[in-house]
Amino acid sequence: MATQMTPLISELERRVVAYPTDLRSLLEECHATYFAIRKSLLTPQIISEVKGLDPAHGDLVELTRAGCGYLRQLCENEFTLYRRFFSSGEDHLYRYLENLCDFLYDDLRPRILHEQRIGILCEVCTVLQALMVLGSDVSNLDGVSDEGEDDQGSIVPETPLDMKESPGMQKLQIGVLLQMILQDAQTRLVFKTQAIVQSDIRLHTPTDDDLRYPDKLIEHRATQVQEPPKGSSDSSDNQEEMQADESTWYPSVRKTAWIMSMLDEFVKPEIFHDIAREAISFCRESLDVASQRMAAKGGPTSAIDAKLFTIYHLLILKELVSEVDFGQDQPAGTAPPLSAGEGFFGIPLFRPAAFLGSLAYLGVPRLLSGAETPLNIDQELKSVCEALISDCVKNATRPVRVFVERSSAYLDALATGPLNEKNDLLSQEFAAPKQALETNNEFKQACKEEVQRWGSR
């Protein structure tokens, strides 16, 4: 039939260009008749195929893969057949193909919109995106094949110069047909992600086990030391180490990292950035709550442990943020992301003596300028580090601080009175050389004791 009908339809399409008012309705009637006949022939077959997939109870991912794969092949066949007759009517063709897809979409869409598991929704998006890419590649190959056939005398006549085919008629745009169901999956994915951000990050209530720091890190490091190293590639070692380190992360931080990793490839960048900012912001609030509860325990090192806890997780958030392009260029000379499990140059964050030494070596103010990282994580990290350093040196410098305070008070009082040898600072008992030497020895002993105490943490 195509051999007989194609020359007539081709001539009609040529004349429609010259006489649209008189002949367009006739061409549209040809389109409508063709689509009505094809739909009546295909509808029973499509319904049978969809029922065989058990859309109400089957696995959602497999249903999407099998169902959309079947529709993709069906649409490609219908597209190829249509081009045997027509070289125009793109809008009518895609509307017809969408109607064929609705037989599956009517069952698939409710399943997607009621799906509660983010992982399943991500797999559905992956399947749809893969089918869209695969369909594009197949269409390109088909286009090359068609050109070869035309050179050998295809029955499809050449399109006139004044009636160029649009890109949609040159090859099947399968993405147009799958985009609707992909948008449903992405919309559901964003909705569920926002719900998790609220419930598991913003409203997270820490348990006693969640606040068990630094014991968690100490136990994790002891486990790593006991386990013999396995022979594997560097990339797999790094991946396994990161997965192991995640077990020591605070739950809201772990959930933030999981959401960002799951959502990155399946939604538009602007939507992903908004959700990532929201998740990180709420995560930092949850870290503040946890840090306050740790400091309120009242132990001898509770306040210091709380600050180390905050630094440890802010470094993790800093690394997460560095992997996302928030539209801010990284300044030249900015340090590379730090390993969340190790800290600076592999020095554990809950070994304060080594940690503070590495901070001094790198230069805290330069490393942690507030403009370097979006969301001002560096600025907050700098503030916590400064507070931690202040706590570290407070006890160690107590003898010197007392000496300086007494000397300053005496000199201030002396400035208002007459100056003589008896009033000289060195003449005072607390400032005598012997007492100053004793103060120096006390300072050295205090430093030694504090470093040992911190090093044992």
Side-chain angles (χ1 to χ4, degrees):
M1 181 180 293
T3 306
Q4 300 173 355
M5 296 296 299
T6 297
L8 298 176
I9 296 174
S10 178
E11 182 64 25
L12 175 61
E13 289 177 330
R14 287 192 184 95
R15 296 193 179 190
V16 165
V17 176
Y19 308 101
T21 304
D22 299 329
L23 298 177
R24 185 174 299 280
S25 60
L26 178 59
L27 180 60
E28 291 180 351
E29 184 178 352
C30 292
H31 290 156
T33 302
Y34 173 86
F35 292 135
I37 294 174
R38 291 300 302 167
K39 186 175 182 180
S40 64
L41 293 174
L42 291 175
T43 296
Q45 176 186 348
I46 297 175
I47 293 177
S48 175
E49 289 287 342
V50 171
K51 285 184 178 179
L53 297 174
D54 191 16
H57 305 94
D59 178 73
L60 179 58
V61 177
E62 185 58 33
L63 172 63
T64 303
R65 180 182 293 107
C68 292
Y70 166 73
L71 289 180
R72 179 184 63 81
Q73 186 61 51
L74 176 68
C75 290
E76 288 175 357
N77 294 338
E78 286 299 299
F79 179 85
T80 302
L81 179 62
Y82 179 82
R83 290 189 70 244
R84 303 295 249 180
F85 292 91
F86 301 95
S87 59
S88 62
E90 175 185 355
D91 294 340
H92 299 290
L93 172 60
Y94 280 92
R95 194 176 304 117
Y96 160 71
L97 295 178
E98 288 176 359
N99 289 335
L100 297 183
C101 294
D102 284 340
F103 287 103
L104 174 66
Y105 290 176
D106 289 342
D107 290 314
L108 186 58
R109 186 177 294 111
R111 291 285 307 275
I112 291 176
L113 296 181
H114 290 85
E115 179 58 50
Q116 300 293 327
R117 295 164 293 180
I118 285 184
I120 296 297
L121 293 171
C122 289
E123 290 186 45
V124 169
C125 291
T126 300
V127 169
L128 293 172
Q129 290 173 343
L131 289 173
M132 292 168 70
V133 173
L134 180 61
S136 176
D137 293 341
V138 170
S139 297
N140 290 336
L141 294 175
D142 290 343
V144 174
S145 176
D146 289 343
E147 290 178 1
E149 290 178 1
D150 288 342
D151 293 340
Q152 299 175 2
S154 172
I155 64 173
V156 180
E158 183 178 357
T159 303
L161 295 177
D162 55 355
M163 193 176 175
K164 291 291 185 182
E165 287 184 340
S166 66
M169 288 299 296
Q170 294 174 3
K171 60 182 179 180
L172 175 64
Q173 305 295 323
I174 191 66
V176 175
L177 304 174
L178 296 179
Q179 186 64 33
M180 183 168 54
I181 198 67
L182 177 60
Q183 288 178 349
D184 287 338
Q186 291 173 332
T187 300
R188 180 61 178 173
L189 180 60
V190 170
F191 175 80
K192 285 302 300 178
T193 300
Q194 290 176 328
I196 290 178
V197 168
Q198 293 292 327
S199 62
D200 294 0
I201 299 178
R202 183 182 182 183
L203 302 179
H204 174 72
T205 301
T207 63
D208 292 338
D209 185 68
D210 293 340
L211 304 178
R212 205 167 51 84
Y213 288 88
D215 295 343
K216 280 187 175 183
L217 297 178
I218 296 173
E219 293 171 0
H220 173 65
R221 182 165 296 276
T223 303
Q224 285 187 323
V225 172
Q226 293 175 0
E227 293 180 353
K230 299 179 181 179
S232 58
S233 62
D234 294 339
S235 59
S236 61
D237 285 344
N238 294 335
Q239 184 176 5
E240 291 177 1
E241 181 180 355
M242 178 59 69
Q243 292 175 349
D245 287 340
E246 288 183 5
S247 64
T248 66
W249 295 2
Y250 188 64
S252 62
V253 176
R254 188 164 58 247
K255 186 66 70 173
T256 300
W258 178 74
I259 285 176
M260 293 176 64
S261 66
M262 295 290 284
L263 209 63
D264 187 17
E265 299 180 359
F266 304 114
V267 298
K268 294 180 178 179
E270 55 270 21
I271 297 177
F272 171 72
H273 292 163
D274 289 342
I275 295 178
R277 284 191 179 94
E278 183 181 47
I280 291 173
S281 178
F282 289 146
C283 183
R284 289 165 63 180
E285 292 179 5
S286 72
L287 290 177
D288 291 340
V289 173
S291 179
Q292 293 172 7
R293 290 191 56 175
M294 290 181 64
K297 289 182 178 180
T301 61
S302 295
I304 294 175
D305 288 344
K307 291 182 177 64
L308 289 171
F309 164 85
T310 302
I311 293 172
Y312 175 72
H313 289 97
L314 285 178
L315 287 175
I316 297 172
L317 293 181
K318 174 183 171 70
E319 186 169 354
L320 293 176
V321 169
S322 68
E323 298 174 357
V324 180
D325 181 13
F326 283 101
Q328 298 185 12
D329 296 330
Q330 189 177 29
T334 302
L338 303 174
S339 172
E342 292 295 334
F344 294 101
F345 294 108
I347 300 173
L349 293 179
F350 275 81
R351 285 181 55 193
F355 175 66
L356 295 177
S358 63
L359 285 177
Y361 173 77
L362 292 173
V364 173
R366 182 176 180 181
L367 175 69
L368 303 177
S369 61
E372 289 182 2
T373 301
L375 307 174
N376 293 326
I377 291 180
D378 278 343
Q379 187 63 39
E380 184 176 355
L381 189 56
K382 175 184 176 181
S383 299
V384 179
C385 287
E386 290 175 345
L388 176 65
I389 293 172
S390 177
D391 290 343
C392 293
V393 302
K394 185 175 182 180
N395 292 331
T397 59
R398 185 184 301 276
V400 176
R401 191 169 63 252
V402 172
F403 175 80
V404 171
E405 289 174 355
R406 293 186 63 182
S407 299
S408 298
Y410 178 80
L411 293 176
D412 290 342
L414 185 63
T416 59
L419 181 62
N420 54 59
E421 293 183 359
K422 293 184 178 180
N423 293 338
D424 185 70
L425 178 62
L426 295 178
S427 65
Q428 303 302 310
E429 181 179 355
F430 72 88
K434 182 178 179 180
Q435 186 63 33
L437 181 60
E438 184 177 346
T439 299
N440 181 58
N441 292 334
E442 291 177 359
F443 168 68
K444 291 181 179 180
Q445 182 63 27
C447 288
K448 181 179 179 180
E449 292 175 355
E450 287 299 311
V451 168
Q452 289 178 347
R453 184 171 68 89
W454 278 70
S456 63
R457 296 293 295 153

